[in-house]
Amino acid sequence: MASPVIIKSATATGAGGATGDSPTLLEAALRASVTGRVSFDDGTRALYSTDASNYRQIPIGVVLPRSVDDVVAAMASCAAKGAPVLMRGGGTAMAGQSTNTAVVIDCSRHLNRIAWLDPERRRARVEPGCVLDTLRDRARPHGLTFGPDPATHNHCTFGGMIGNNSCGTHSMMAGRTSDNVGCLEVLTYDGLRMWVGPTSDDELAAIIAGGGRRAEIYAGMARIRDVYGDEIRRRYPDIPRRVAGYNLDDLLPEKGFNVARALVGTEGTCVAVLSAELVLVPDPPERAMVVLGYPDVGAAGDAVPLLLRHHPIGLEGFGHQLVADTKAEHLFLPSLSLLPPGRAWLIVELGGTSADEVMGRAADMIDEVGRGEGAPSTRLVEDPAQVARVWALREAGIGVTARLPDGTRTWTGWEDSAVPPSRLGDYLRDLLALYARHGYHAALYGHFGQACIHNRLDLDLTSVDGIARYRTFAQEAADLCVSYGGSISGEHGDGQSRAELLPRMYGPDLVRAFEEFKGLWDPGNKMNPGKVVHPARIDEHLRLGAHYRPANPSTFFAFTNDNGSIAQAALRCVGAGKCRKEDGGTMCPSYMATREEKDSTRGRARLLFEMLQGDVITDGWRSEAVRDALDLCLACKGCKSECPVNVDMATYKAEFLAHHYRWRLRPAAHYSMGWLPLAARAASRAPRLLNVATHTPGLDSALKWLGGIAYERDFPRFAHQSFTDWFRARPASVPAGGPPVLLWPDTFNNYFHPNVGRAALSVLESAGFRVEIPDRPLCCGLTWISTGQLGMAKRMLRRSVDALAPALEAGLPVVGLEPSCTAVFRSDLADLLPQDEGAKRLAAQTLTLAELLANRAPDWDPPRRDCEAIIQGHCHHKAVLGMEPDTALLARAGVDAEVLDSGCCGLAGNFGFERGHYEVSMACAERVLLPAVRAAGPAKLVIADGFSCRTQIEQATGRQALHLAEVLDPGA
C-alpha cells in the first residue's frame, strides 16, 4: 500500500469550547507537547462535528497524533487544562458516540500499523488506527482472519471496533470484537498507562496489594463484581448480540476477570486504547452461498432456528422494501436478478475445508428446508462474481435505505436491536406493527442468524412534534425489545441514541454499576462525557432539530434530485465513510493519497452542510475552509456512483467555486484551462508556433507561471491539423444509405488527438453509419464547469443545444469520444438546463462509441486483435456512462482486457495541471495505474479513452495509450 502524501497546511486559531482555560491556552499546550497536527480552526472543528448518527456536537479542537507518545502527551495536556477528550476511530458511529464537545484525538491518520502477526499463536498486535481489512489481508495467506467484519470493513479502525464492540456478518463464526481481544494497552485520563487482560485470582490480589492508582481501579472492579454479580447474571441477555451497556459480565469469575474484554464496548468513555493484541481465527477456504425466498420477513425470521442447525458462518436477511427501494433507485439490478421468488430473503453462507464438503452441506440444507408446507424458494449461487453481487446488495443496505424513493431522508432511529434468534420471527412482526402505529417507513435487513435487525426510519427530526414522537417511539421500541429478552443495541453501541434507554433494559442497579465502573477509570467524567453513562437525552444535540433552518441560496445547478436544494444535496451524506477506503474503486482518489478527513467526500459534504448551517462556518460562499477542502477534489465523479447515497461532489464543487469567485479575481488556472476550448481554437491557426513557445526552455516556465500550471508538467502538443479541418477537407467516401450519426468533436480529440476522431470515423463507417459533425465549433462547457465558471458553461451548452436542434429533432445519435465531455451531456446538462427540451433530447441521444455499436450495430464484426490489454477507465466513464459495452466489444475483437482497479489517473482534466496539485496527482497515478503500465510488455495494449488518462500515462511513462476507436479501427 502506498504511503499517504503529506499535505502541509496552516491551521488558524479558532474558538474552542467550554473548558476551564481559554482554548488558546489549551491549543498552545497541545502544540508544545504533540508532534502531530493540532487544529483548532473552524474548518477542522466542523469536519469532526458529527458521525453517522442523528447527532452533532462541535469539538474544541482536533489532534492527529503521529505516535502513541503523542496520545499520551495530548491526554496530559487536556488533563492539565480540564478539557474533555474523545478518542475517535473512523467516525462512522450510528449512535452518536464519536461526536462530542471535546478534544478529538483521531488515530486513523498515522497510528495505523500492524506491529506483528504470529500465525502459530493466532495473534496480532495493532495500533488503534489500523483498518480491519489491512489486518485481514495480512492474515489471509496464513489461512486466518479477524472474525468480526462490519460492512465498513475496508475503512473501519480497530480503535473504533474496540470502542463499539463491533460484530458484522461473520461474527457468527467468531463472536463480537470483545470475544476476539486478547489484551489491551490502555491510558486513563489521569495518565495511568498499562496492559490489561484476563486476570487470575493471584494476579488480582498482587495488583491490589501493590497499591497506587492501578490497585484502586482493580479493587473497585472486584467490588463491582462481588456486589452486582448476581444481578449481572440475571439481567444480561444470553444472546449472541448483546452490545448495550458495559461488559461487566467479563469481570465474573467464570469469565476470568477479563479487564480487556470489559473495556471493549465502552465507547471511549473510560480509557484510550493505545495498542491491541487480537485473536485470529481460521478463515474457511471454501464457501457456498444459498439464497432462500420467503413470503415475508416474519417467515424468514421463523426459519432461522432450523438454518442454524447447519452451522452457517453467515446468515443475513432483508425484506421486500429494501428490494423495492433498490429498484426505485435503479441500483444493483444484476444483483436483484439473482434472488429467488419471494418478499423476504435469507443469504446463507457455509464454510469448510473443501468444495465437496460445503456443497454437500448446502445440498443437505436445501433438501431439509424444502420439505413441508411453506418451503422457501431456493437458489444455490456458485459463480464467484454472482456471489459478490449478492453480498454487495446486502452491504448496500445503509445507502439504499438512506433516502426513500420520494427523496425523504431517513435516520438511525432504531438501528440494531437484537433478540434471541429463536424468537426473531415474532419480534419482527411486532416491530413492524410498532412502526405502523407511529407511521414510520422501514426497510428491514440485518444479521438474521444472530437476530440483529438494521433499518433506517423516516423520522421527522425538524419539528417539535416530530421529535417528541421519535422519543415516544424509542421508549416503546426499547420496551418491546426487552420484553423479548433482547438487547437495545446489538452492534452499533449506545452512544447517545440508546444510553438514556439503558435503565429500561438493565434496571437502576446495573445502571448504577455502569456509573461506578466508569467512575473508577474516569472519575472526572472527561472521557467522552454524555455517552453511555450520565447520558444526554436522545433528543438533545440533534444534527437537525427544531431549529434547523439552513441557508438555501439560488444555484446554477437545478439539483433536481434534491428538490432543487443544495442544502438537501449536502445533507445526503450519512457519514458511513465508504469514501475513506484506502484502495479499490474510484472514490475518493485524494483521500487515498492523503488520508485526510477533509479530502474525503464525507469531509467535504460535512463542510458544505456546516457552511449552509452557518453557526461554525459563518462566511458562507466566501469560506476559505470549504474552498481548501474542495481544492484537492479531482471532480472525478467517483462518489456519484460509489457513494452509498450518491453524493456528487464534482457538482457541489463547481457550484461552490461559481459563488466563491463571483465578482472576484480567480486563480490563474481557471483562466488558462477553464477557457481552453477557445484558446485551442485560436491555437489551431498556428499550432506549430504554439508548440515551439510551450516547449522552449524558459519561455515554457514563464507561460506556466502566468497560467498557474505546475512546473513539473509538460504542455500537451497541439495537432498540426484539427480533426474537424481534416474531416471537411477529406474526399467524400461515405457509404450510401447508411443511418446518420453525429460525431461530437470535443476539444481534446479535435485539437490535440485528432487521430482518435479519424479512427472513430473509420469504425463508424465500417459499421455502416453515415457520419456527420456539427457545422460550427461547439463545446460541452466541461472546462468551465470544472473550474466553476457556470454562467459561461450554461451559455456554451445552450449554444450547442440550439445548434444541434435539427439533428436532435431528427433523432440522430450523438457519439461522444471523450468520456468527460460525453458525461456532461448525459449528466450535468440536464441539471444546468433543466427546462430545455433540446437539452433533454441531447442527454437521451448521447452515446459512447461502444454503446452505439452495441445498440445500433449489434451484427458488426470488429477486427480481430487477439491480444492482451489493460484498460484505464476514465472516472466519468465509470461513474456516469458504464464500462460494460466497451469490455464486451473488446472481447468480441479478441482482446483479453483487464480493467484496472486504479481509480482516477490523477490528472483529472485541469486538476493535475494546476500548480500545487502535482504531488497528489502523481500519488493517485502511482497507486495502481503507472505501475501497471510499466509492467505491461510492448505486446500488451494500454487502452484509455480519456485524454487526461492518456496524457498522464504518456508524461509519466512515455507509453502511448490507445483510445477504443484506435483499437477497433479496421484500417489500423
Side-chain angles (χ1 to χ4, degrees):
M1 184 180 297
S3 298
V5 175
I6 305 300
I7 303 299
K8 297 178 181 179
S9 60
T11 54
T13 300
T19 65
D21 293 76
S22 164
T24 55
L25 296 180
L26 172 61
E27 181 182 8
L30 287 165
R31 288 185 182 278
S33 61
V34 173
T35 64
R37 189 187 312 155
V38 175
S39 301
F40 275 56
D41 60 287
D42 291 342
T44 302
R45 293 167 59 237
L47 276 174
Y48 286 83
S49 63
T50 187
D51 47 20
S53 72
N54 302 343
Y55 302 101
R56 170 179 174 263
Q57 292 177 269
I58 309 303
I60 298 169
V62 177
V63 176
L64 301 182
R66 287 189 173 276
S67 65
V68 168
D69 289 341
D70 267 357
V71 179
V72 176
M75 192 80 83
S77 294
C78 290
K81 302 298 180 185
V85 171
L86 166 60
M87 299 297 299
R88 177 168 154 136
T92 60
M94 292 189 176
Q97 56 265 61
S98 51
T99 175
N100 214 323
T101 304
V103 173
V104 175
I105 301 179
D106 179 357
C107 296
S108 67
R109 178 65 176 84
H110 299 292
L111 299 185
N112 49 27
R113 291 173 288 272
I114 300 171
W116 50 259
L117 189 152
D118 186 342
E120 298 299 321
R121 293 177 55 230
R122 295 181 181 175
R123 293 288 178 109
R125 183 174 293 175
V126 301
E127 293 180 329
C130 179
V131 169
L132 170 58
D133 272 1
T134 302
L135 177 62
R136 296 207 305 172
D137 291 344
R138 270 278 292 275
R140 189 171 294 113
H142 304 288
L144 300 172
T145 192
F146 187 77
D149 60 341
T152 54
H153 52 82
N154 64 356
H155 58 280
C156 65
T157 67
F158 279 104
M161 291 182 68
I162 291 166
N164 231 38
N165 203 2
S166 298
C167 301
T169 297
H170 293 105
S171 61
M172 289 193 68
M173 68 180 186
R176 305 163 298 171
T177 294
S178 59
D179 301 313
N180 295 272
V181 166
C183 53
L184 298 174
E185 184 184 15
V186 300
L187 174 71
T188 64
Y189 185 79
D190 53 11
L192 177 64
R193 181 177 178 180
M194 60 181 172
W195 281 92
V196 298
T199 314
S200 68
D201 290 343
D202 290 343
E203 289 173 314
L204 178 60
I207 291 170
I208 295 174
R213 181 76 172 98
R214 187 184 185 203
E216 175 188 328
I217 293 172
Y218 274 74
M221 288 190 292
R223 192 191 71 81
I224 290 173
R225 174 198 63 187
D226 296 340
V227 171
Y228 296 101
D230 289 342
E231 185 73 353
I232 291 169
R233 294 182 184 95
R234 185 175 74 85
R235 295 294 296 255
Y236 271 50
D238 184 17
I239 59 175
R241 286 298 190 95
R242 198 276 310 152
V243 171
Y246 290 158
N247 293 333
L248 299 185
D249 55 327
D250 280 302
L251 298 178
L252 298 176
E254 56 267 35
K255 294 287 189 74
F257 202 82
N258 196 318
V259 179
R261 294 184 178 182
L263 286 171
V264 174
T266 54
E267 302 179 13
T269 61
C270 295
V271 297
V273 174
L274 303 179
S275 185
E277 188 172 308
L278 306 173
V279 178
L280 304 176
V281 298
D283 187 16
E286 298 292 339
R287 305 188 181 203
M289 174 185 283
V290 178
V291 185
L292 306 172
Y294 295 88
D296 55 63
V297 290
D302 292 337
V304 165
L306 171 61
L307 295 170
L308 290 178
R309 296 208 297 261
H310 293 268
H311 305 292
I313 61 173
L315 177 49
E316 302 291 290
F318 51 91
H320 75 281
Q321 195 60 56
L322 177 66
V323 171
D325 292 350
T326 303
K327 287 180 178 177
E329 295 290 335
H330 304 288
L331 298 172
F332 300 101
L333 299 182
S335 302
L336 296 177
S337 67
L338 298 173
L339 300 179
R343 287 177 57 80
W345 294 267
L346 294 177
I347 305 169
V348 187
E349 185 177 51
L350 303 169
T353 56
S354 72
D356 288 344
E357 174 202 347
V358 294
M359 295 307 288
R361 288 171 55 204
D364 291 344
M365 185 185 71
I366 291 172
D367 179 64
E368 182 174 6
V369 301
R371 299 174 194 156
E373 187 176 351
S377 58
T378 63
R379 176 159 189 173
L380 177 64
V381 185
E382 299 183 70
D383 179 74
Q386 294 182 340
V387 169
R389 288 193 195 107
V390 174
W391 281 128
L393 174 63
R394 164 58 188 86
E395 290 187 356
I398 186 174
V400 170
T401 61
R403 289 161 62 92
L404 302 184
D406 65 2
T408 300
R409 171 71 187 266
T410 62
W411 301 91
T412 59
W414 190 247
E415 220 289 317
D416 64 324
S417 57
V419 298
S422 61
R423 306 189 67 187
L424 178 58
D426 288 339
Y427 175 65
L428 287 171
R429 283 182 277 267
D430 284 348
L431 187 61
L432 286 171
L434 179 65
Y435 292 152
R437 285 200 301 275
H438 285 272
Y440 291 145
H441 168 285
L444 296 177
Y445 61 101
H447 312 290
F448 277 40
Q450 294 188 317
C452 178
I453 304 304
H454 295 316
N455 61 75
R456 297 176 65 88
L457 301 173
D458 52 337
L459 306 174
D460 171 11
L461 297 179
T462 61
S463 74
V464 172
D465 290 344
I467 294 168
R469 181 157 60 102
Y470 160 55
R471 180 177 182 79
T472 300
F473 160 78
Q475 293 169 338
E476 293 179 12
D479 292 342
L480 174 64
C481 180
V482 171
S483 74
Y484 272 88
S487 172
I488 60 175
S489 175
E491 183 162 38
H492 294 146
D494 302 316
Q496 184 179 338
S497 66
R498 282 177 289 269
E500 189 190 357
L501 303 172
L502 287 174
R504 306 177 99 92
M505 176 177 169
Y506 286 113
D509 290 344
L510 286 184
V511 169
R512 189 179 310 113
F514 296 157
E515 293 170 356
E516 293 177 13
F517 184 80
K518 175 177 169 62
L520 291 172
W521 296 96
D522 178 31
N525 192 26
K526 296 296 186 180
M527 297 293 291
N528 206 11
K531 317 296 180 181
V532 187
V533 169
H534 308 301
R537 290 164 50 103
I538 63 173
D539 49 2
E540 289 184 275
H541 307 310
L542 291 171
R543 188 190 304 196
L544 303 186
H547 63 281
Y548 179 61
R549 296 291 185 276
N552 203 12
S554 60
T555 55
F556 290 91
F557 283 97
F559 294 100
T560 51
N561 293 326
D562 293 287
N563 298 318
S565 168
I566 190 173
Q568 286 198 28
L571 193 58
R572 272 181 177 264
C573 177
V574 296
K578 188 178 179 182
C579 49
R580 283 174 53 96
K581 67 186 188 302
E582 297 178 4
D583 52 37
T586 302
M587 178 187 71
C588 177
S590 50
Y591 178 80
M592 292 182 195
T594 71
R595 296 179 200 161
E596 296 276 2
E597 177 70 20
K598 74 176 181 62
D599 297 327
S600 68
T601 303
R602 179 180 75 176
R604 292 169 180 136
R606 188 155 292 160
L607 282 173
L608 286 167
F609 169 88
E610 293 289 348
M611 180 192 82
L612 295 165
Q613 187 80 344
D615 54 358
V616 178
I617 296 177
T618 58
D619 43 358
W621 292 120
R622 293 292 193 243
S623 170
E624 293 187 6
V626 178
R627 181 203 61 195
D628 291 347
L630 290 170
D631 180 55
L632 292 185
C633 172
L634 284 80
C636 68
K637 287 192 179 287
C639 49
K640 184 178 176 68
S641 59
E642 292 182 23
C643 169
V645 289
N646 307 119
V647 166
D648 184 0
M649 193 53 61
T651 294
Y652 307 169
K653 176 182 180 179
E655 187 70 50
F656 175 83
L657 292 177
H659 296 275
H660 185 76
Y661 288 111
R662 202 169 194 182
W663 314 121
R664 302 169 80 190
L665 187 67
R666 288 173 166 270
H670 286 200
Y671 301 107
S672 64
M673 284 178 279
W675 290 71
L676 177 64
L678 299 186
R681 190 189 312 170
S684 68
R685 295 170 183 156
R688 290 177 173 83
L689 178 62
L690 264 293
N691 288 336
V692 169
T694 55
H695 291 82
T696 298
L699 182 55
D700 65 337
S701 296
L703 291 172
K704 290 173 185 175
W705 180 83
L706 286 170
I709 294 170
Y711 293 114
E712 300 90 340
R713 289 289 176 192
D714 293 329
F715 285 106
R717 291 182 180 272
F718 292 98
H720 293 170
Q721 183 183 36
S722 69
F723 169 71
T724 52
D725 287 347
W726 173 86
F727 182 91
R728 295 186 179 103
R730 73 185 185 117
S733 59
V734 296
V741 299
L742 187 78
L743 183 60
W744 179 257
D746 61 86
T747 295
F748 309 101
N749 290 313
N750 188 27
Y751 297 113
F752 295 98
H753 289 177
N755 49 299
V756 171
R758 293 196 291 267
L761 177 68
S762 176
V763 170
L764 291 169
E765 289 187 345
S766 73
F769 293 101
R770 187 175 77 251
V771 179
E772 302 176 6
I773 64 171
D775 59 4
R776 72 196 79 167
L778 300 174
C779 184
C780 69
L782 168 70
T783 56
W784 285 284
I785 293 172
S786 63
T787 54
Q789 300 179 78
L790 298 182
M792 186 64 181
K794 292 179 75 166
R795 286 195 291 274
M796 283 292 176
L797 281 169
R798 188 169 286 112
R799 182 171 177 269
S800 294
V801 168
D802 291 344
L804 296 179
L808 295 172
E809 291 167 7
L812 267 66
V814 177
V815 180
L817 300 177
E818 169 58 38
S820 54
C821 298
T822 310
V824 168
F825 288 158
R826 289 267 283 269
S827 178
D828 301 291
L829 173 61
D831 226 19
L832 283 169
L833 303 178
Q835 306 302 321
D836 193 304
E837 291 300 321
K840 295 175 184 177
R841 291 192 186 97
L842 180 54
Q845 291 170 220
T846 297
L847 302 170
T848 66
L849 178 64
E851 287 173 332
L852 178 84
L853 294 171
N855 297 334
R856 308 292 179 93
D859 298 327
W860 176 69
D861 290 324
R864 297 290 301 182
R865 295 302 181 214
D866 297 320
C867 63
E868 294 182 338
I870 56 174
I871 301 176
Q872 165 61 17
H874 188 284
C875 301
H876 294 189
H877 204 150
K878 291 179 287 190
V880 177
L881 308 170
M883 295 288 297
E884 292 79 7
D886 299 71
T887 54
L889 196 56
L890 286 167
R892 286 169 53 196
V895 179
D896 181 8
E898 174 195 1
V899 179
L900 298 176
D901 189 10
S902 54
C904 182
C905 73
L907 197 60
N910 57 291
F911 176 86
F913 272 96
E914 289 186 16
R915 194 177 304 142
H917 291 170
Y918 181 79
E919 191 177 18
V920 170
S921 172
M922 295 309 297
C924 294
E926 291 289 359
R927 195 177 61 80
V928 174
L929 172 60
L930 296 184
V933 172
R934 295 185 190 109
K940 181 178 284 191
L941 301 181
V942 178
I943 302 174
D945 279 7
F947 173 79
S948 294
C949 306
R950 295 196 300 274
T951 302
Q952 181 80 303
I953 291 167
E954 180 183 7
Q955 293 196 0
T957 70
R959 185 75 183 260
Q960 299 286 331
L962 299 175
H963 190 284
L964 175 70
E966 296 176 290
V967 177
L968 301 179
D969 183 1

